Amino acid sequence: RWLGAWIVPSNQMGEIVAYLFLCLVEKYEGIPLQFTTDCGSETTKLFGLVNSLREIFHPEYDNTELPAHVYLWSVHNIAIERLWLRLHLDWGDNVVLFFNKGIEDGLYNPNDPQQYKLCQWIWPKLLRKDLQETMNFHNGACMRKDKDKIGPSGMSRNEAFSLPEKWGGHNCLLSVDVNVVREIKVKMGGNALLEFTSVEFSAHAQAAYDTLGITELTVENVWHVFHAMCPLVFP
């Protein structure tokens, strides 16, 4: 199941990757019995957080016998790597085409500092909505029934996650003090870590956007909305 998907300034910054992990810990009020990632350098802070949280809240688990975090080569991290491919093919490629069309049609000049700044606000706004819808679709789609498969089949990812006993699974989530997690998030910088523009500019752009009465922001109309917003944001 997709537990979360985000549009962030960089997925290669350890601070952001660790913060997103804490967002999930806060949301589900616990940490996994064991966490796995690839060997990227952006996971080093995450590695420390995972180990620290389990050591603090669940010292009964011996880290030498059951490591809190395990690094895997990408070729062995099969489930998540397959997910990236599907996301890239089903969603990412299409988004890139629409983005580049704005440049080709002369609606966006990436070399203009003002246009670039507004682009950094409006496209994350659109992509976050679209990505959430994509995640919801995949989580809700029913998987093909396979009686020989080890693990869930014939049900959606949402059902398999929420009702593990239906396919012989177990809920191994380890509870943590969510207030401690929230304090760590604040000290790391809060949600500002995930934003592409300043709080002030975001508020200004949102106010301009609201005056347009847009029913829904889509890849088909985003550049036209962008074009209409430019004189409002930068009079």
Side-chain angles (χ1 to χ4, degrees):
R1 182 177 186 264
W2 297 26
L3 299 183
W6 300 267
I7 301 296
V8 295
S10 173
N11 65 353
Q12 297 181 333
M13 293 178 61
E15 198 83 0
I16 290 178
V17 173
Y19 186 84
L20 294 178
F21 168 73
L22 291 178
C23 289
L24 289 179
V25 173
E26 179 183 10
K27 179 179 180 179
Y28 293 101
E29 300 183 350
I31 57 175
L33 186 60
Q34 186 176 81
F35 200 77
T36 61
T37 66
D38 63 20
C39 303
S41 60
E42 70 277 4
T43 64
T44 53
K45 290 189 176 182
L46 170 63
F47 174 86
L49 269 175
V50 173
N51 279 280
S52 296
L53 288 174
R54 202 179 78 170
E55 183 178 343
I56 292 170
F57 294 110
H58 292 277
E60 67 273 19
Y61 290 101
D62 187 341
N63 205 46
T64 58
E65 294 182 3
L66 181 64
H69 179 282
V70 173
Y71 280 115
L72 296 176
W73 292 107
S74 294
V75 292
H76 298 146
N77 202 19
I78 297 172
I80 193 65
E81 295 298 334
R82 289 180 62 187
L83 185 151
W84 295 143
L85 177 61
R86 292 271 31 113
L87 184 64
H88 174 71
L89 296 176
D90 297 344
W91 185 72
D93 285 350
N94 190 49
V95 167
V96 171
L97 289 175
F98 277 101
F99 183 87
N100 289 336
K101 194 172 190 311
I103 300 175
E104 295 165 3
D105 293 348
L107 295 173
Y108 171 54
N109 177 8
N111 296 316
D112 183 315
Q114 291 184 336
Q115 289 194 22
Y116 177 81
K117 192 173 185 179
L118 182 56
C119 177
Q120 291 285 293
W121 179 82
I122 197 168
W123 269 90
K125 178 182 180 68
L126 167 65
L127 296 180
R128 283 167 176 163
K129 176 184 73 71
D130 271 12
L131 185 56
Q132 183 64 45
E133 291 172 355
T134 299
M135 184 177 73
N136 291 343
F137 171 79
H138 281 281
N139 281 340
C142 186
M143 296 178 281
R144 179 175 59 87
K145 180 68 176 177
D146 184 353
K147 61 182 178 63
D148 297 321
K149 178 185 176 184
I150 299 176
S153 69
M155 62 182 70
S156 70
R157 291 174 176 83
N158 283 333
E159 187 178 2
F161 180 79
S162 302
L163 303 169
E165 64 278 1
K166 290 190 66 174
W167 52 274
H170 301 279
N171 184 354
C172 296
L173 194 70
L174 304 177
S175 62
V176 300
D177 186 340
V178 176
N179 290 322
V180 172
V181 174
R182 289 173 182 150
E183 289 179 15
I184 298 173
K185 287 176 63 184
V186 170
K187 290 180 179 179
M188 290 178 70
N191 286 340
L193 279 171
L194 311 181
E195 297 305 322
F196 290 75
T197 58
S198 68
V199 174
E200 294 76 17
F201 181 81
S202 294
H204 180 51
Q206 184 64 51
Y209 177 87
D210 291 342
T211 65
L212 297 177
I214 305 300
T215 303
E216 182 182 11
L217 188 64
T218 68
V219 289
E220 286 85 5
N221 69 10
V222 61
W223 282 126
H224 298 290
V225 175
F226 170 87
H227 187 67
M229 286 183 65
C230 277
L232 300 176
V233 177
F234 305 108

